[in-house]
Amino acid sequence: MIVKFKLNGKEIVKDVPVYKRALDFLRDDLGILSVKEGCGEGECGACTILVDGKNVHSCLMLAVELDGKEVITVEGLEDKIIQNAYVEAGAIQCGFCTPGFIISTKALLEQNKNPSSEEIKEALEGNLCRCTGYLKIEDAVKLAAKMYNKGSDER
Amino acid sequence: MKEVTRKIPKKDALGLLLGKPVYTDDLAPKNSLIVKLLRSPHAFAKIKNIDISEASKIEGVECILTYKDVPRNPITRAGQGYPEPSPHDWYILDEYVRYVGDEVAIVAGKDEKCVNEALKKIKVEYEIFEPVLDFEKAEGHPSIIHPEKETHPMFEIGFDAQKNIAASYEMEIGSVEEELKKCDVVISERFYTQAQAHVAFEPHTAASYIDMHGRLIIISSTQVPFHVRRIIAEAFDIPIKNIRVIKPRIGGGFGGKQAVHGEPFVAAVTLKTGKPAKIVYTRQEVFEATYSRHPMRYDITLGASKDGKLKVIDMKGLSDTGAYGEHALTTFMVAGSKTLPLYNKVDAVRFSGKVVYTNKVPAGAYRGYGAIQGNFALESAIDMLAEKLGMDPIEFRKKNMIREGETSPIFKIMGEGREGVDMIVRSCKLNECVEEGMKLINWKEKFPRKKISETKYRGVGMAIAMQGSGIANIDMGAAVLKLNDDGSFNLLIGATDLGTGSDTILAQIAAEVLNVPTEDIIVYSSDTDLTPFDVGAYASSTTYVSGNAVKRAAEKMRKLIIKEGALKLGLDESNVDFDGKYIYEKNGSKKVSLKELATVLLYTENQKQLIADASYVGEESPPPFMAGFAEVEVDIETGKVKLINYIAVVDCGVTINPNLARIQVEGGLVQGIGMALFEDVKYSPNGKLLTNNLMHYKIPSRADIGNIIVKFVESYEPTGPFGAKSVAEIGIDTPPAAIANAIYNAVGVRIKTLPITPEKVLMSLNNK
């Protein structure tokens, strides 16, 4: 089936088998390697992508469901504010789950410019990490919020 | 210190955050055959007949291999020293299958679809045996899990396959029986720990291809590239020189990748077809068919005099290694060797027991490596003894625990798989850890409990722990430093960064010695062709062992720079020094920049490549120490335990990178908390793992872990690089015992079987 959608700002038109998962379509056919398969059943969040501004698990989605949608992955984030905040907060270990966290952070900060600790916990509950213990990730989200807000103050 | 003790971001941080292609699956050749495994549906069976004819006809299928098609050399998958203390009891494929998930056949094809189809079309006839599923009934069970005659240990490890015993061990100092008679108070208790799963987020992945020279190249998410090279050579009867193993970035390990897993299967396909091949385990396969933690049972007897002196420790253990004896003896011994020295003033101590085979998921290395199992038992029992003595559990510990400058006879007697090394504990700030932790959790105010409401009680509990820093006289790491024409350095190390940040801290160590910025040290690690040997990332060895190797190599490089600089300046070496930028005359004005010297050395004058190497083997294994304090809230209506606070105060020597040290401890704590409270392992009656996905096997999310505070006490280890000890494992050890103790203090029920689920708490409350 032909799918037409916007990936990181670029129009994609591609023939894709109806059984193919969005995750495999992105990784294997479109070379979007930031999207990782951690569990394949929507539990870990390593495959999180933004679809029309919502963070979703691409392992639970079919490629054909992307039709007509706007998709953003880590490769397509315009600024690197969230990434820089994660670096500065030291919120990274093996990095396998991190692109998923970045996307969920983006989804949160788009909705909520000053999230509380509780709101961060809730927003990132669908993303699991086995290395970091989560504490620095929370710091990174707060730092990213601060960096965004500072940026908009200056403007 | 300029570079060491700085919170430098991980060198690979931004690359990882941008989602660059850096993991094995990202780097596997694009035309790789997809490899999958047919796995046994039975816990114990013999393959009577295997028919691949239908499956082979499926379009796109390139090859199907069974036990008849691969060499049958007994090996161990465990990536340890060599010879390994694990029995050689594993075959690439075998006619026996010993657990649900054991490999039956290798299928390779052009895509996942055809391979999956072929897997369904392979017809296997099994002769099914009664499996051994209860490790307490394994010894002497009529079913013998390893009846084959080729299986053997590399040296004496107490192996007895006829009785399903993979290893056994016994030691005694003084006379436990005699000393117990002299004790005023004695307790005997039994504890169980579960087969925790690692859940590293990158599933086990391996790729292979043949290079232009006909050599087998393996890319793998492994903790032990050099061991992988040796084991693959042994399994396939091919020379080590014909194999290269590359470890790119890897998505976590925690011990689960301290072994070969997918590598033999892709290698078999590539060797057979000449084509590139890759295998990416599914999450279910990772759960069912890689490694778990060794479940253990401990019977502990403690004896003390009424004034609170601990006189006797007796630990009798039983460990379940599953279908293969990987890390069987060593994890068992570590349960003693990394707990018993905590109480070094006893009159008699005994540690004994067996590691048995069962028809379950093989157990292997896992962060803590026996220490967490032993710690849960011993540190729970210590609280029970203190209560019986009528003493505060912290006062009891402080009276009996190890102090700086002391030793323990255990160090010499118990090593890993063999004798250990006598040593004085040169750095031990355990007392400071305890004091600081008491303050941070407000122990005096909160101990033992506070009533929050009619149904909720809060309690505090604690535990102390120790680990090691590499395996003394066994673990070796090497480093090479190479000067480039712009004055930067390549640091080549066999050490294996699992995501921990070891590449970064090793660069910091080199930079500190050379007095250059860490950014000028370009790290390349873990490639058996291009980097020097290192045993790999395990046993909390990298900072201490590989770190010392890097420090020595950098010191050599510094000397070489001074030597060549002196030549260039026409001065005597003794008259010259190097400050990181310039090689200069000590009492004069002559100088040359490192960059200029580096350039002329390569292109114009006295031409040579400056290169320095060093190796390091620890003569000691200085233990990091910590005290862990838990505050829990127990709901007596539901049995639910909520972790309110966890305080960890750690002595890991000097923290080379305080940020990376902290995140290691935080991550370790959360895994330990998971083991204590959530991570339950269940099997079906016929031996199938039921908790084989993240829905049924719950690991902690951010919402589960309460408030965590990690603090480092000031400490300096004289044998470590710039005073450092290890930090990788110590964080995981205390949560099970500290949380169990806190629950007891809150509501008076003692849970002795992990994990501490609401069901267990509620049942105990009801039986009280």
Side-chain angles (χ1 to χ4, degrees), chain B residues 11 53 84 108 114 206 225 236 276 288 313 386 403-404 410 433 521 531 535-536 548 604 615 654 687 704 712 715 725:
Chain B
K11 276 184 170 283
S53 55
E84 304 97 333
C114 73
F236 288 92
E288 288 183 349
I313 306 176
R403 306 281 171 137
E404 194 161 271
I410 302 291
C433 292
I521 309 286
T531 65
V535 287
N548 267 319
T604 51
S615 302
V654 170
D704 296 316
F712 296 98
S715 170
K725 299 188 274 189

Short mmCIF file of all heavy atoms in Angstrom, two decimals, chain B residues 11 53 84 108 114 206 225 236 276 288 313 386 403-404 410 433 521 531 535-536 548 604 615 654 687 704 712 715 725:
data_model
loop_
_atom_site.label_atom_id
_atom_site.label_comp_id
_atom_site.label_asym_id
_atom_site.label_seq_id
_atom_site.Cartn_x
_atom_site.Cartn_y
_atom_site.Cartn_z
N LYS B 11 31.90 11.04 26.58
CA LYS B 11 32.39 11.38 25.24
C LYS B 11 31.38 11.04 24.15
O LYS B 11 31.30 11.72 23.13
CB LYS B 11 33.70 10.64 24.96
CG LYS B 11 34.92 11.37 25.53
CD LYS B 11 36.20 10.67 25.17
CE LYS B 11 37.42 11.50 25.50
NZ LYS B 11 37.71 12.59 24.56
N SER B 53 13.62 -30.76 5.51
CA SER B 53 13.42 -30.76 4.05
C SER B 53 12.36 -29.74 3.60
O SER B 53 12.58 -29.01 2.63
CB SER B 53 13.07 -32.17 3.57
OG SER B 53 11.97 -32.66 4.28
N GLU B 84 38.76 -21.24 32.28
CA GLU B 84 37.59 -20.74 32.99
C GLU B 84 37.24 -21.64 34.18
O GLU B 84 37.34 -22.85 34.08
CB GLU B 84 36.36 -20.69 32.07
CG GLU B 84 36.52 -19.89 30.81
CD GLU B 84 36.87 -20.74 29.61
OE1 GLU B 84 37.48 -21.83 29.79
OE2 GLU B 84 36.53 -20.34 28.49
N ALA B 108 18.79 -19.34 8.49
CA ALA B 108 19.19 -18.05 7.92
C ALA B 108 18.51 -17.87 6.58
O ALA B 108 18.40 -18.82 5.79
CB ALA B 108 20.70 -18.00 7.75
N CYS B 114 10.61 -15.10 5.62
CA CYS B 114 10.89 -16.47 5.16
C CYS B 114 11.53 -17.30 6.28
O CYS B 114 11.29 -18.50 6.39
CB CYS B 114 11.76 -16.47 3.89
SG CYS B 114 13.47 -16.03 4.12
N ALA B 206 24.27 -9.76 17.31
CA ALA B 206 25.58 -10.07 16.74
C ALA B 206 25.48 -10.11 15.23
O ALA B 206 24.44 -10.48 14.68
CB ALA B 206 26.10 -11.41 17.27
N PRO B 225 34.92 -8.76 24.36
CA PRO B 225 35.31 -9.08 22.99
C PRO B 225 36.47 -10.08 22.88
O PRO B 225 36.46 -10.94 22.00
CB PRO B 225 35.69 -7.73 22.39
CG PRO B 225 35.74 -6.76 23.52
CD PRO B 225 34.93 -7.32 24.63
N PHE B 236 34.69 -23.50 17.06
CA PHE B 236 34.68 -23.85 15.63
C PHE B 236 36.01 -24.43 15.15
O PHE B 236 36.18 -24.68 13.96
CB PHE B 236 34.34 -22.62 14.79
CG PHE B 236 32.89 -22.21 14.88
CD1 PHE B 236 32.48 -21.27 15.81
CD2 PHE B 236 31.93 -22.77 14.06
CE1 PHE B 236 31.15 -20.89 15.92
CE2 PHE B 236 30.60 -22.40 14.15
CZ PHE B 236 30.20 -21.46 15.08
N PRO B 276 27.36 -12.39 4.86
CA PRO B 276 27.12 -11.69 6.13
C PRO B 276 25.82 -12.18 6.78
O PRO B 276 24.88 -12.55 6.07
CB PRO B 276 26.98 -10.22 5.72
CG PRO B 276 27.38 -10.13 4.31
CD PRO B 276 27.31 -11.50 3.71
N GLU B 288 14.06 -15.63 27.91
CA GLU B 288 13.97 -17.09 27.99
C GLU B 288 15.27 -17.80 27.70
O GLU B 288 15.45 -18.96 28.08
CB GLU B 288 12.92 -17.61 26.98
CG GLU B 288 11.50 -17.30 27.36
CD GLU B 288 10.51 -17.89 26.37
OE1 GLU B 288 10.94 -18.35 25.28
OE2 GLU B 288 9.31 -17.89 26.69
N ILE B 313 29.86 -16.89 61.99
CA ILE B 313 28.98 -16.83 60.81
C ILE B 313 29.11 -18.16 60.08
O ILE B 313 30.22 -18.59 59.76
CB ILE B 313 29.39 -15.71 59.82
CG1 ILE B 313 29.48 -14.35 60.51
CG2 ILE B 313 28.39 -15.65 58.66
CD1 ILE B 313 29.97 -13.23 59.57
N ALA B 386 20.61 -8.84 65.97
CA ALA B 386 20.67 -7.62 66.79
C ALA B 386 19.40 -7.48 67.62
O ALA B 386 19.45 -7.15 68.81
CB ALA B 386 20.87 -6.39 65.90
N ARG B 403 37.13 -2.16 59.49
CA ARG B 403 37.60 -0.77 59.50
C ARG B 403 38.87 -0.64 58.65
O ARG B 403 39.54 -1.63 58.37
CB ARG B 403 37.94 -0.33 60.93
CG ARG B 403 36.82 -0.51 61.94
CD ARG B 403 35.82 0.59 61.82
NE ARG B 403 34.63 0.31 62.63
CZ ARG B 403 34.03 1.22 63.39
NH1 ARG B 403 34.48 2.45 63.44
NH2 ARG B 403 32.95 0.91 64.07
N GLU B 404 39.16 0.60 58.32
CA GLU B 404 40.36 0.89 57.51
C GLU B 404 41.62 0.33 58.19
O GLU B 404 41.77 0.43 59.40
CB GLU B 404 40.49 2.40 57.32
CG GLU B 404 41.49 2.79 56.24
CD GLU B 404 41.26 4.23 55.76
OE1 GLU B 404 40.47 4.41 54.83
OE2 GLU B 404 41.86 5.15 56.34
N ILE B 410 39.35 -14.08 54.94
CA ILE B 410 38.57 -14.47 53.75
C ILE B 410 39.28 -14.06 52.46
O ILE B 410 39.26 -14.78 51.46
CB ILE B 410 37.17 -13.82 53.79
CG1 ILE B 410 36.40 -14.21 55.05
CG2 ILE B 410 36.37 -14.13 52.53
CD1 ILE B 410 35.98 -15.63 55.14
N CYS B 433 30.29 6.17 56.12
CA CYS B 433 29.09 5.93 55.30
C CYS B 433 27.88 5.71 56.21
O CYS B 433 26.79 6.24 55.96
CB CYS B 433 29.27 4.69 54.41
SG CYS B 433 30.50 4.87 53.11
N ILE B 521 42.21 13.59 24.09
CA ILE B 521 42.42 12.14 24.12
C ILE B 521 41.29 11.50 23.32
O ILE B 521 40.11 11.57 23.69
CB ILE B 521 42.39 11.59 25.57
CG1 ILE B 521 43.33 12.38 26.49
CG2 ILE B 521 42.70 10.10 25.59
CD1 ILE B 521 44.80 12.13 26.31
N THR B 531 42.99 -2.92 19.25
CA THR B 531 43.25 -2.46 20.61
C THR B 531 43.97 -3.57 21.38
O THR B 531 43.84 -4.74 21.05
CB THR B 531 41.95 -2.11 21.36
OG1 THR B 531 41.17 -3.29 21.52
CG2 THR B 531 41.13 -1.07 20.59
N VAL B 535 40.49 -8.01 29.66
CA VAL B 535 39.54 -9.10 29.90
C VAL B 535 38.11 -8.68 29.60
O VAL B 535 37.27 -9.51 29.30
CB VAL B 535 39.62 -9.66 31.34
CG1 VAL B 535 40.88 -10.48 31.52
CG2 VAL B 535 39.51 -8.56 32.37
N GLY B 536 37.85 -7.37 29.67
CA GLY B 536 36.50 -6.90 29.38
C GLY B 536 35.87 -6.25 30.59
O GLY B 536 36.53 -6.05 31.61
N ASN B 548 44.43 1.76 35.83
CA ASN B 548 45.85 1.72 36.19
C ASN B 548 46.73 1.49 34.96
O ASN B 548 47.83 2.04 34.87
CB ASN B 548 46.10 0.61 37.23
CG ASN B 548 46.02 1.14 38.66
OD1 ASN B 548 46.52 2.23 38.95
ND2 ASN B 548 45.40 0.39 39.55
N THR B 604 59.90 15.54 9.90
CA THR B 604 61.19 16.12 9.50
C THR B 604 62.41 15.75 10.32
O THR B 604 63.46 15.49 9.78
CB THR B 604 61.08 17.66 9.47
OG1 THR B 604 60.53 18.11 10.70
CG2 THR B 604 60.25 18.14 8.30
N SER B 615 50.47 -2.55 30.71
CA SER B 615 49.48 -3.54 31.15
C SER B 615 49.36 -3.44 32.65
O SER B 615 50.28 -2.97 33.32
CB SER B 615 49.94 -4.96 30.80
OG SER B 615 50.16 -5.07 29.42
N VAL B 654 38.39 7.87 45.26
CA VAL B 654 38.19 9.14 44.55
C VAL B 654 37.30 8.87 43.34
O VAL B 654 37.49 7.88 42.64
CB VAL B 654 39.56 9.71 44.10
CG1 VAL B 654 39.38 10.89 43.14
CG2 VAL B 654 40.39 10.12 45.31
N GLY B 687 8.01 -26.07 33.02
CA GLY B 687 9.33 -25.45 32.89
C GLY B 687 9.44 -24.32 31.91
O GLY B 687 10.53 -23.97 31.49
N ASP B 704 8.13 4.37 40.45
CA ASP B 704 8.17 3.32 41.49
C ASP B 704 9.22 3.51 42.56
O ASP B 704 9.27 2.74 43.52
CB ASP B 704 8.47 1.95 40.83
CG ASP B 704 7.38 1.54 39.88
OD1 ASP B 704 6.20 1.69 40.24
OD2 ASP B 704 7.71 1.07 38.76
N PHE B 712 28.81 10.50 48.23
CA PHE B 712 30.12 9.85 48.31
C PHE B 712 30.89 10.41 49.50
O PHE B 712 30.92 11.62 49.69
CB PHE B 712 30.90 10.10 47.03
CG PHE B 712 30.27 9.48 45.81
CD1 PHE B 712 29.49 10.24 44.96
CD2 PHE B 712 30.43 8.13 45.54
CE1 PHE B 712 28.88 9.67 43.85
CE2 PHE B 712 29.83 7.55 44.44
CZ PHE B 712 29.05 8.33 43.58
N SER B 715 37.46 9.55 50.34
CA SER B 715 38.23 8.33 50.53
C SER B 715 39.33 8.31 49.46
O SER B 715 39.15 8.87 48.38
CB SER B 715 37.29 7.13 50.38
OG SER B 715 38.01 5.92 50.32
N LYS B 725 38.62 3.53 43.42
CA LYS B 725 38.24 2.11 43.44
C LYS B 725 37.10 1.95 42.43
O LYS B 725 36.84 2.85 41.64
CB LYS B 725 37.76 1.71 44.84
CG LYS B 725 38.81 1.86 45.91
CD LYS B 725 38.36 1.25 47.26
CE LYS B 725 37.55 2.22 48.08
NZ LYS B 725 37.29 1.73 49.46
#
